[in-house]
Amino acid sequence: MNIHEYQAKELFKEFGVAIPAGCVAKSANEFDAAVASLGGDVIVVKSQIHAGGRGKGVFADGFQGGVKLVKRDEAPSIAAKMLGNTLITKQTGPAGKTVGAILFTEANDIQKEYYLSILMDRASGKVAIVASLAGGMDIEKVAEETPDQILTMLIDPDIGLQSFQVRKLGFFLGFGAKELMKQWTSIIKGLYRLFWEKDCSMVEVNPLILTVSGKIMALDAKVSFDDNALFRHPEIEALRDLHEEDPKETEAGKYGLNYIALDGNIACMVNGAGLAMSTMDIIKFFGGNPANFLDVGGGANEEAITQAFNILLKDKNVKGILVNIFGGIMRCDVIAAGVIAAVKNVGLTLPLVVRLEGTNVEKGRQMLADSGIKLTTADSLADAAEKIVKIVAAENK
Ligand code: ADP
Ligand code: MG
Protein backbone atom coordinates (compact mmCIF):
# COMPACT_ATOMS: atom_id res chain seq x y z
CA MET A 1 0.00 0.00 0.00
CA ASN A 2 1.19 3.50 -0.84
CA ILE A 3 0.46 6.78 0.89
CA HIS A 4 0.76 10.44 -0.08
CA GLU A 5 3.78 12.65 0.54
CA TYR A 6 1.94 14.71 3.17
CA GLN A 7 0.99 11.54 5.06
CA ALA A 8 4.53 10.18 4.83
CA LYS A 9 5.84 13.49 6.18
CA GLU A 10 3.47 13.25 9.16
CA LEU A 11 5.12 9.90 9.91
CA PHE A 12 8.57 11.45 9.43
CA LYS A 13 7.67 14.08 12.03
CA GLU A 14 6.46 11.39 14.42
CA PHE A 15 9.81 9.61 14.06
CA GLY A 16 11.88 12.76 14.53
CA VAL A 17 12.91 13.27 10.90
CA ALA A 18 13.29 16.95 9.95
CA ILE A 19 10.97 18.22 7.18
CA PRO A 20 10.16 21.72 5.87
CA ALA A 21 7.12 23.36 7.52
CA GLY A 22 4.01 22.51 5.52
CA CYS A 23 0.24 22.42 5.44
CA VAL A 24 -2.10 20.26 3.37
CA ALA A 25 -5.37 21.43 1.77
CA LYS A 26 -8.04 19.28 0.16
CA SER A 27 -10.31 22.02 -1.18
CA ALA A 28 -9.72 25.47 -2.68
CA ASN A 29 -11.32 27.31 0.24
CA GLU A 30 -8.56 25.99 2.51
CA PHE A 31 -5.75 27.36 0.33
CA ASP A 32 -5.47 30.88 1.82
CA ALA A 33 -5.32 29.66 5.42
CA ALA A 34 -2.79 26.96 4.51
CA VAL A 35 -0.47 29.48 2.84
CA ALA A 36 -0.94 31.99 5.68
CA SER A 37 0.28 29.39 8.16
CA LEU A 38 3.69 29.27 6.47
CA GLY A 39 6.58 31.72 6.47
CA GLY A 40 8.79 33.08 3.69
CA ASP A 41 8.26 34.87 0.39
CA VAL A 42 8.39 31.70 -1.69
CA ILE A 43 5.96 28.80 -1.24
CA VAL A 44 6.27 25.32 -2.71
CA VAL A 45 2.95 24.08 -4.16
CA LYS A 46 2.92 20.29 -4.39
CA SER A 47 0.32 18.08 -6.10
CA GLN A 48 -0.40 15.00 -4.01
CA ILE A 49 -0.59 11.83 -6.10
CA HIS A 50 0.84 8.34 -5.58
CA ALA A 51 3.65 8.80 -8.09
CA GLY A 52 7.00 10.54 -8.31
CA GLY A 53 8.44 12.81 -10.98
CA ARG A 54 5.76 15.43 -10.25
CA GLY A 55 8.13 18.36 -10.64
CA LYS A 56 8.71 17.49 -14.30
CA GLY A 57 5.12 16.33 -14.85
CA VAL A 58 2.56 17.96 -17.13
CA PHE A 59 -1.19 18.29 -16.51
CA ALA A 60 -3.79 17.00 -18.97
CA ASP A 61 -4.70 20.61 -19.87
CA GLY A 62 -1.07 21.47 -20.67
CA PHE A 63 -0.24 23.24 -17.38
CA GLN A 64 3.42 22.50 -16.60
CA GLY A 65 4.80 21.16 -13.31
CA GLY A 66 3.10 19.31 -10.47
CA VAL A 67 5.55 20.85 -7.95
CA LYS A 68 6.15 24.59 -8.23
CA LEU A 69 8.06 27.22 -6.28
CA VAL A 70 6.02 30.43 -6.47
CA LYS A 71 5.60 33.82 -4.77
CA ARG A 72 3.35 33.43 -1.73
CA ASP A 73 0.47 35.54 -3.11
CA GLU A 74 0.38 33.39 -6.27
CA ALA A 75 0.33 30.08 -4.37
CA PRO A 76 -3.48 29.74 -4.01
CA SER A 77 -4.16 30.38 -7.72
CA ILE A 78 -1.42 27.96 -8.80
CA ALA A 79 -2.83 25.36 -6.41
CA ALA A 80 -6.29 25.91 -7.91
CA LYS A 81 -4.89 24.96 -11.32
CA MET A 82 -3.54 21.70 -9.89
CA LEU A 83 -6.41 20.52 -7.66
CA GLY A 84 -8.79 18.23 -9.51
CA ASN A 85 -6.54 18.32 -12.58
CA THR A 86 -4.89 15.19 -13.99
CA LEU A 87 -1.12 15.06 -13.61
CA ILE A 88 0.92 12.92 -15.96
CA THR A 89 4.46 11.99 -14.90
CA LYS A 90 6.99 9.35 -15.89
CA GLN A 91 5.58 7.15 -13.13
CA THR A 92 1.82 7.58 -13.70
CA GLY A 93 1.56 6.17 -17.21
CA PRO A 94 -0.21 8.11 -19.97
CA ALA A 95 -3.56 8.19 -18.15
CA GLY A 96 -2.11 10.27 -15.30
CA LYS A 97 -3.57 10.66 -11.81
CA THR A 98 -6.12 13.10 -10.45
CA VAL A 99 -4.80 15.52 -7.82
CA GLY A 100 -7.01 15.30 -4.73
CA ALA A 101 -4.92 17.37 -2.31
CA ILE A 102 -2.24 20.08 -2.33
CA LEU A 103 0.67 20.25 0.09
CA PHE A 104 2.05 23.77 0.60
CA THR A 105 5.53 23.96 2.13
CA GLU A 106 8.05 26.61 2.96
CA ALA A 107 10.87 26.88 0.45
CA ASN A 108 14.44 26.11 1.46
CA ASP A 109 17.80 27.47 0.27
CA ILE A 110 19.26 24.25 -1.01
CA GLN A 111 23.02 23.81 -0.83
CA LYS A 112 23.04 20.18 -1.95
CA GLU A 113 20.55 17.40 -2.77
CA TYR A 114 20.98 13.70 -1.91
CA TYR A 115 19.04 10.49 -2.44
CA LEU A 116 18.19 8.13 0.39
CA SER A 117 16.07 5.00 0.57
CA ILE A 118 15.48 2.01 2.82
CA LEU A 119 14.08 -1.18 1.31
CA MET A 120 14.10 -4.96 1.48
CA ASP A 121 17.00 -6.65 -0.27
CA ARG A 122 15.58 -10.07 -1.06
CA ALA A 123 18.85 -11.49 -2.36
CA SER A 124 20.65 -11.02 0.97
CA GLY A 125 17.59 -11.27 3.18
CA LYS A 126 18.58 -7.96 4.75
CA VAL A 127 17.42 -4.38 4.84
CA ALA A 128 19.27 -2.16 2.38
CA ILE A 129 19.97 1.51 2.90
CA VAL A 130 20.80 3.19 -0.40
CA ALA A 131 22.44 6.62 -0.20
CA SER A 132 23.51 8.71 -3.14
CA LEU A 133 25.27 12.01 -3.70
CA ALA A 134 23.15 12.56 -6.79
CA GLY A 135 19.87 13.76 -5.31
CA GLY A 136 16.70 14.65 -7.17
CA MET A 137 17.63 12.23 -9.96
CA ASP A 138 16.34 8.79 -10.97
CA ILE A 139 18.30 6.38 -8.80
CA GLU A 140 18.16 3.74 -11.57
CA LYS A 141 19.93 6.14 -13.92
CA VAL A 142 22.57 7.04 -11.32
CA ALA A 143 23.17 3.34 -10.60
CA GLU A 144 23.73 2.67 -14.28
CA GLU A 145 25.85 5.68 -15.21
CA THR A 146 27.70 6.71 -12.04
CA PRO A 147 27.60 3.82 -9.57
CA ASP A 148 30.39 5.39 -7.49
CA GLN A 149 27.84 8.03 -6.43
CA ILE A 150 25.92 5.36 -4.53
CA LEU A 151 26.63 3.55 -1.27
CA THR A 152 24.46 0.56 -0.37
CA MET A 153 24.58 -0.64 3.22
CA LEU A 154 23.04 -3.96 4.21
CA ILE A 155 21.50 -4.07 7.68
CA ASP A 156 21.05 -7.36 9.50
CA PRO A 157 17.43 -7.24 10.62
CA ASP A 158 18.20 -9.18 13.80
CA ILE A 159 20.86 -6.71 14.92
CA GLY A 160 19.39 -3.51 13.52
CA LEU A 161 21.13 -0.37 12.33
CA GLN A 162 24.56 -0.03 13.97
CA SER A 163 26.32 3.22 14.84
CA PHE A 164 29.32 2.45 12.64
CA GLN A 165 26.97 2.01 9.69
CA VAL A 166 25.31 5.34 10.43
CA ARG A 167 28.75 7.00 10.49
CA LYS A 168 29.96 5.28 7.34
CA LEU A 169 26.89 6.45 5.43
CA GLY A 170 27.25 9.92 6.97
CA PHE A 171 30.89 10.27 5.93
CA PHE A 172 30.03 9.06 2.42
CA LEU A 173 27.43 11.81 2.10
CA GLY A 174 29.88 14.42 3.44
CA PHE A 175 28.25 14.84 6.85
CA GLY A 176 31.55 14.31 8.69
CA ALA A 177 31.37 17.57 10.68
CA LYS A 178 30.09 17.07 14.24
CA GLU A 179 26.90 19.12 13.92
CA LEU A 180 25.95 17.51 10.59
CA MET A 181 26.66 13.99 11.86
CA LYS A 182 24.33 14.66 14.79
CA GLN A 183 21.48 15.66 12.47
CA TRP A 184 22.21 12.81 10.06
CA THR A 185 22.19 10.27 12.90
CA SER A 186 18.77 11.27 14.10
CA ILE A 187 17.39 11.34 10.54
CA ILE A 188 18.65 7.91 9.48
CA LYS A 189 17.83 6.32 12.84
CA GLY A 190 14.32 7.79 12.69
CA LEU A 191 13.77 6.57 9.14
CA TYR A 192 15.07 3.10 9.96
CA ARG A 193 12.82 2.90 13.00
CA LEU A 194 9.86 3.98 10.84
CA PHE A 195 10.71 1.34 8.22
CA TRP A 196 10.97 -1.34 10.87
CA GLU A 197 8.12 -0.51 13.23
CA LYS A 198 5.53 0.20 10.53
CA ASP A 199 6.44 -2.81 8.34
CA CYS A 200 7.34 -0.67 5.35
CA SER A 201 8.46 -2.17 2.08
CA MET A 202 10.15 1.10 1.14
CA VAL A 203 10.99 4.51 2.56
CA GLU A 204 12.41 6.90 -0.03
CA VAL A 205 13.62 10.47 0.39
CA ASN A 206 14.46 12.12 -2.94
CA PRO A 207 15.79 14.63 -2.34
CA LEU A 208 17.24 14.76 1.14
CA ILE A 209 18.79 18.22 1.33
CA LEU A 210 21.46 20.22 3.10
CA THR A 211 20.39 23.86 3.36
CA VAL A 212 22.71 26.85 3.03
CA SER A 213 22.36 27.36 6.78
CA GLY A 214 23.47 23.76 7.46
CA LYS A 215 20.24 21.93 8.15
CA ILE A 216 19.59 18.42 6.80
CA MET A 217 15.98 17.59 5.96
CA ALA A 218 13.64 15.48 3.87
CA LEU A 219 12.12 17.57 1.04
CA ASP A 220 10.17 14.71 -0.47
CA ALA A 221 8.81 11.53 1.10
CA LYS A 222 7.58 8.29 -0.41
CA VAL A 223 6.59 5.40 1.85
CA SER A 224 5.00 2.08 0.94
CA PHE A 225 3.88 -0.70 3.24
CA ASP A 226 3.83 -4.47 3.13
CA ASP A 227 0.14 -5.33 2.57
CA ASN A 228 0.60 -8.60 4.46
CA ALA A 229 1.44 -6.70 7.64
CA LEU A 230 -1.32 -4.08 7.42
CA PHE A 231 -3.50 -5.97 9.87
CA ARG A 232 -0.98 -4.95 12.54
CA HIS A 233 -1.31 -1.27 11.70
CA PRO A 234 -4.90 0.01 11.60
CA GLU A 235 -3.50 3.56 11.81
CA ILE A 236 -1.67 2.97 8.52
CA GLU A 237 -4.63 1.23 6.87
CA ALA A 238 -6.62 4.40 7.71
CA LEU A 239 -4.28 6.39 5.43
CA ARG A 240 -5.38 4.40 2.38
CA ASP A 241 -6.64 6.60 -0.47
CA LEU A 242 -9.06 4.53 -2.53
CA HIS A 243 -9.09 7.17 -5.29
CA GLU A 244 -5.50 6.18 -6.01
CA GLU A 245 -6.33 2.51 -6.44
CA ASP A 246 -7.98 0.75 -9.34
CA PRO A 247 -11.53 0.00 -8.05
CA LYS A 248 -11.30 -3.42 -9.74
CA GLU A 249 -8.19 -4.21 -7.69
CA THR A 250 -9.88 -3.08 -4.47
CA GLU A 251 -12.91 -5.23 -5.26
CA ALA A 252 -10.71 -8.25 -6.04
CA GLY A 253 -8.93 -7.83 -2.71
CA LYS A 254 -12.26 -8.26 -0.89
CA TYR A 255 -12.68 -11.74 -2.40
CA GLY A 256 -9.10 -12.84 -1.85
CA LEU A 257 -8.32 -12.63 -5.57
CA ASN A 258 -4.92 -11.35 -6.67
CA TYR A 259 -5.78 -9.02 -9.52
CA ILE A 260 -3.64 -6.42 -11.29
CA ALA A 261 -5.15 -4.46 -14.18
CA LEU A 262 -3.06 -4.17 -17.34
CA ASP A 263 -3.75 -2.42 -20.63
CA GLY A 264 -4.35 -5.31 -23.08
CA ASN A 265 -7.66 -6.86 -24.22
CA ILE A 266 -7.40 -10.55 -23.29
CA ALA A 267 -8.59 -11.20 -19.75
CA CYS A 268 -6.94 -14.12 -17.96
CA MET A 269 -8.30 -16.20 -15.13
CA VAL A 270 -5.70 -18.51 -13.72
CA ASN A 271 -4.98 -20.34 -10.47
CA GLY A 272 -1.50 -19.81 -9.07
CA ALA A 273 0.75 -16.81 -9.54
CA GLY A 274 3.39 -18.71 -11.53
CA LEU A 275 0.81 -20.11 -13.93
CA ALA A 276 -0.71 -16.63 -14.25
CA MET A 277 2.69 -15.18 -15.18
CA SER A 278 3.36 -17.87 -17.79
CA THR A 279 -0.15 -17.48 -19.19
CA MET A 280 0.50 -13.76 -19.69
CA ASP A 281 3.86 -14.54 -21.29
CA ILE A 282 2.42 -17.02 -23.72
CA ILE A 283 -0.43 -14.69 -24.74
CA LYS A 284 2.27 -12.16 -25.61
CA PHE A 285 4.21 -14.85 -27.44
CA PHE A 286 1.25 -15.44 -29.76
CA GLY A 287 0.93 -11.71 -30.40
CA GLY A 288 -1.86 -10.89 -27.96
CA ASN A 289 -1.97 -8.54 -24.99
CA PRO A 290 -3.15 -9.54 -21.51
CA ALA A 291 -5.75 -7.26 -19.88
CA ASN A 292 -4.81 -8.34 -16.39
CA PHE A 293 -2.97 -10.60 -14.04
CA LEU A 294 -5.45 -12.68 -12.06
CA ASP A 295 -4.63 -15.45 -9.64
CA VAL A 296 -7.85 -16.88 -8.21
CA GLY A 297 -5.88 -18.95 -5.70
CA GLY A 298 -5.58 -22.66 -5.07
CA GLY A 299 -9.00 -23.23 -3.54
CA ALA A 300 -11.13 -21.11 -5.89
CA ASN A 301 -14.80 -22.06 -5.56
CA GLU A 302 -17.82 -21.17 -7.65
CA GLU A 303 -18.34 -17.85 -5.86
CA ALA A 304 -14.72 -16.76 -6.30
CA ILE A 305 -14.87 -17.66 -10.00
CA THR A 306 -18.13 -15.71 -10.44
CA GLN A 307 -16.63 -12.66 -8.69
CA ALA A 308 -13.52 -12.99 -10.83
CA PHE A 309 -15.65 -12.93 -14.01
CA ASN A 310 -17.51 -9.87 -12.71
CA ILE A 311 -14.26 -8.02 -12.09
CA LEU A 312 -12.75 -8.99 -15.45
CA LEU A 313 -15.86 -7.77 -17.25
CA LYS A 314 -15.74 -4.33 -15.60
CA ASP A 315 -12.71 -3.63 -17.80
CA LYS A 316 -14.22 -2.25 -21.00
CA ASN A 317 -11.08 -3.08 -23.00
CA VAL A 318 -11.63 -6.81 -22.54
CA LYS A 319 -12.52 -8.56 -25.82
CA GLY A 320 -12.01 -12.16 -24.82
CA ILE A 321 -11.33 -14.36 -21.80
CA LEU A 322 -8.86 -17.17 -21.28
CA VAL A 323 -9.48 -19.47 -18.33
CA ASN A 324 -6.44 -21.57 -17.57
CA ILE A 325 -6.85 -23.68 -14.47
CA PHE A 326 -4.87 -26.55 -13.11
CA GLY A 327 -6.84 -28.86 -10.86
CA GLY A 328 -4.42 -29.94 -8.19
CA ILE A 329 -5.97 -29.62 -4.75
CA MET A 330 -9.07 -28.48 -6.60
CA ARG A 331 -10.71 -31.02 -8.92
CA CYS A 332 -11.43 -30.06 -12.53
CA ASP A 333 -15.11 -31.03 -12.29
CA VAL A 334 -15.57 -28.55 -9.44
CA ILE A 335 -13.84 -25.87 -11.51
CA ALA A 336 -15.96 -26.68 -14.56
CA ALA A 337 -19.11 -26.36 -12.43
CA GLY A 338 -17.84 -23.00 -11.21
CA VAL A 339 -17.09 -21.75 -14.72
CA ILE A 340 -20.50 -22.90 -16.02
CA ALA A 341 -22.40 -21.29 -13.14
CA ALA A 342 -20.37 -18.09 -13.36
CA VAL A 343 -20.83 -17.74 -17.12
CA LYS A 344 -24.59 -18.19 -16.70
CA ASN A 345 -24.73 -15.78 -13.73
CA VAL A 346 -22.94 -12.94 -15.45
CA GLY A 347 -24.50 -13.59 -18.87
CA LEU A 348 -21.14 -13.75 -20.63
CA THR A 349 -21.19 -12.91 -24.33
CA LEU A 350 -17.46 -12.48 -24.99
CA PRO A 351 -15.39 -15.27 -26.55
CA LEU A 352 -14.18 -17.70 -23.92
CA VAL A 353 -11.38 -20.24 -24.17
CA VAL A 354 -11.01 -22.75 -21.33
CA ARG A 355 -8.10 -24.98 -20.65
CA LEU A 356 -8.41 -27.41 -17.76
CA GLU A 357 -5.77 -29.86 -16.66
CA GLY A 358 -5.29 -32.11 -13.67
CA THR A 359 -7.47 -34.22 -11.40
CA ASN A 360 -10.80 -35.35 -12.96
CA VAL A 361 -10.01 -33.45 -16.14
CA GLU A 362 -12.09 -35.77 -18.35
CA LYS A 363 -15.16 -35.25 -16.22
CA GLY A 364 -14.61 -31.48 -16.20
CA ARG A 365 -14.25 -31.31 -19.97
CA GLN A 366 -17.38 -33.39 -20.42
CA MET A 367 -19.33 -31.03 -18.18
CA LEU A 368 -18.19 -28.03 -20.21
CA ALA A 369 -19.12 -29.81 -23.44
CA ASP A 370 -22.58 -30.73 -22.09
CA SER A 371 -23.28 -27.30 -20.60
CA GLY A 372 -24.45 -25.69 -23.82
CA ILE A 373 -22.25 -22.67 -23.06
CA LYS A 374 -20.51 -21.17 -26.08
CA LEU A 375 -16.86 -21.72 -25.38
CA THR A 376 -13.73 -23.09 -26.98
CA THR A 377 -11.80 -25.76 -25.14
CA ALA A 378 -8.05 -26.17 -25.40
CA ASP A 379 -5.76 -28.97 -24.40
CA SER A 380 -2.49 -27.21 -23.72
CA LEU A 381 -1.32 -23.81 -22.55
CA ALA A 382 0.03 -22.95 -26.00
CA ASP A 383 -3.14 -24.17 -27.70
CA ALA A 384 -5.30 -22.07 -25.37
CA ALA A 385 -3.27 -18.91 -25.83
CA GLU A 386 -3.10 -19.30 -29.60
CA LYS A 387 -6.87 -19.86 -29.80
CA ILE A 388 -7.90 -16.82 -27.74
CA VAL A 389 -5.42 -14.55 -29.53
CA LYS A 390 -6.76 -15.70 -32.93
CA ILE A 391 -10.43 -15.36 -31.94
CA VAL A 392 -9.97 -11.87 -30.47
CA ALA A 393 -7.93 -10.73 -33.46
CA ALA A 394 -10.54 -12.07 -35.91
CA GLU A 395 -13.45 -10.43 -34.09
CA ASN A 396 -11.76 -7.05 -33.77
CA LYS A 397 -10.28 -6.55 -37.20
P1 ADP B 1 8.94 14.96 -7.31
O1 ADP B 1 10.04 14.04 -6.90
O2 ADP B 1 7.63 14.25 -7.38
O3 ADP B 1 9.24 15.71 -8.57
P2 ADP B 1 9.80 16.68 -5.10
O4 ADP B 1 9.10 16.84 -3.82
O5 ADP B 1 11.05 15.88 -5.07
O6 ADP B 1 8.75 16.08 -6.16
O7 ADP B 1 10.07 18.13 -5.68
C1 ADP B 1 10.71 18.33 -6.91
C2 ADP B 1 11.83 19.34 -6.77
O8 ADP B 1 11.31 20.60 -6.30
C3 ADP B 1 12.88 18.97 -5.74
O9 ADP B 1 13.86 18.11 -6.29
C4 ADP B 1 13.45 20.31 -5.36
O10 ADP B 1 14.45 20.70 -6.29
C5 ADP B 1 12.26 21.25 -5.49
N1 ADP B 1 11.70 21.50 -4.15
C6 ADP B 1 10.76 20.78 -3.51
N2 ADP B 1 10.53 21.24 -2.27
C7 ADP B 1 11.34 22.30 -2.11
C8 ADP B 1 11.60 23.22 -1.03
N3 ADP B 1 10.96 23.12 0.15
N4 ADP B 1 12.51 24.18 -1.23
C9 ADP B 1 13.17 24.29 -2.40
N5 ADP B 1 12.99 23.46 -3.44
C10 ADP B 1 12.09 22.47 -3.30
MG1 MG C 1 11.20 13.77 -5.36
Side-chain angles (χ1 to χ4, degrees):
M1 185 188 113
N2 296 319
I3 58 173
H4 288 292
E5 175 197 4
Y6 78 91
Q7 297 168 319
K9 281 182 167 167
E10 283 296 315
L11 288 170
F12 280 15
K13 221 176 5 188
E14 194 184 320
F15 283 81
V17 177
I19 51 165
C23 186
V24 70
K26 290 178 184 162
S27 71
N29 55 25
E30 297 166 22
F31 289 169
D32 288 334
V35 174
S37 72
L38 304 172
D41 299 330
V42 177
I43 298 288
V44 190
V45 185
K46 312 187 82 173
S47 307
Q48 299 297 289
I49 54 170
H50 285 185
R54 295 164 300 167
K56 296 197 182 85
V58 181
F59 287 93
D61 62 2
F63 185 69
Q64 300 263 336
V67 172
K68 276 177 124 62
L69 277 74
V70 300
K71 286 194 219 118
R72 69 179 299 125
D73 54 346
E74 289 171 358
S77 62
I78 296 289
K81 291 197 170 114
M82 295 177 179
L83 190 68
N85 206 343
T86 303
L87 179 57
I88 302 146
T89 80
K90 253 175 146 174
Q91 292 182 11
T92 60
K97 283 185 175 262
T98 311
V99 178
I102 304 289
L103 174 65
F104 297 94
T105 78
E106 293 184 359
N108 303 88
D109 289 326
I110 302 175
Q111 187 182 143
K112 201 165 164 22
E113 298 191 349
Y114 312 84
Y115 171 94
L116 181 64
S117 64
I118 308 179
L119 61 160
M120 296 300 294
D121 180 58
R122 286 165 204 281
S124 64
K126 290 181 177 167
V127 178
I129 296 181
V130 179
S132 165
L133 293 158
M137 294 181 38
D138 281 349
I139 191 69
E140 291 83 3
K141 200 161 172 236
V142 179
E144 199 178 308
E145 291 170 8
T146 47
D148 56 310
Q149 299 270 297
I150 298 177
L151 177 65
T152 302
M153 182 79 70
L154 296 177
I155 315 298
D156 187 323
D158 288 333
I159 301 172
L161 180 61
Q162 299 294 291
S163 297
F164 80 91
Q165 295 171 317
V166 170
R167 281 196 300 277
K168 195 164 171 192
L169 285 160
F171 280 114
F172 176 77
L173 293 173
F175 301 144
K178 197 173 168 210
E179 176 47 34
L180 290 179
M181 191 57 83
K182 207 173 125 199
Q183 290 183 53
W184 163 251
T185 302
S186 81
I187 286 176
I188 191 64
K189 284 195 167 166
L191 291 174
Y192 186 84
R193 206 159 57 79
L194 165 66
F195 178 87
W196 188 255
E197 288 179 11
K198 299 290 185 187
D199 290 307
C200 298
S201 45
M202 189 189 68
V203 171
E204 186 183 59
V205 182
N206 190 18
L208 179 79
I209 59 154
L210 174 63
T211 67
V212 172
S213 57
K215 275 212 65 139
I216 306 173
M217 55 178 131
L219 268 211
D220 195 3
K222 196 168 167 189
V223 177
S224 47
F225 302 90
D226 181 348
D227 288 348
N228 297 311
L230 276 177
F231 73 96
R232 299 204 284 208
H233 306 288
E235 77 291 358
I236 299 293
E237 178 86 54
L239 301 178
R240 172 164 263 162
D241 181 354
L242 289 176
H243 295 294
E244 287 283 341
E245 294 175 21
D246 187 316
K248 298 193 290 305
E249 292 178 13
T250 311
E251 182 80 5
K254 281 194 220 154
Y255 297 102
L257 305 164
N258 295 304
Y259 171 90
I260 308 285
L262 299 167
D263 50 16
N265 60 4
I266 298 176
C268 317
M269 184 183 313
V270 187
N271 65 338
L275 191 57
M277 294 300 284
S278 28
T279 303
M280 288 160 55
D281 279 349
I282 205 153
I283 287 174
K284 281 258 185 199
F285 178 81
F286 284 106
N289 244 326
N292 66 279
F293 167 96
L294 172 62
D295 167 16
V296 295
N301 55 15
E302 182 182 320
E303 202 210 336
I305 292 177
T306 305
Q307 292 306 340
F309 269 111
N310 277 325
I311 289 162
L312 294 179
L313 293 173
K314 280 189 187 144
D315 180 349
K316 294 295 162 235
N317 293 329
V318 167
K319 299 287 184 266
I321 300 178
L322 171 56
V323 175
N324 180 23
I325 296 205
F326 179 79
I329 301 169
M330 184 72 132
R331 302 188 320 268
C332 289
D333 51 323
V334 176
I335 295 159
V339 170
I340 293 163
V343 168
K344 288 186 173 158
N345 282 341
V346 301
L348 185 77
T349 52
L350 291 173
L352 172 67
V353 172
V354 180
R355 180 236 177 181
L356 290 180
E357 204 54 77
T359 315
N360 287 359
V361 65
E362 291 310 330
K363 195 171 168 199
R365 283 188 190 148
Q366 194 58 49
M367 286 166 69
L368 289 175
D370 295 344
S371 68
I373 289 173
K374 197 173 151 266
L375 55 76
T376 309
T377 52
D379 46 33
S380 75
L381 180 48
D383 183 38
E386 197 173 3
K387 279 178 173 156
I388 190 70
V389 171
K390 271 197 183 142
I391 295 170
V392 168
E395 290 198 0
N396 295 281
K397 259 209 267 267

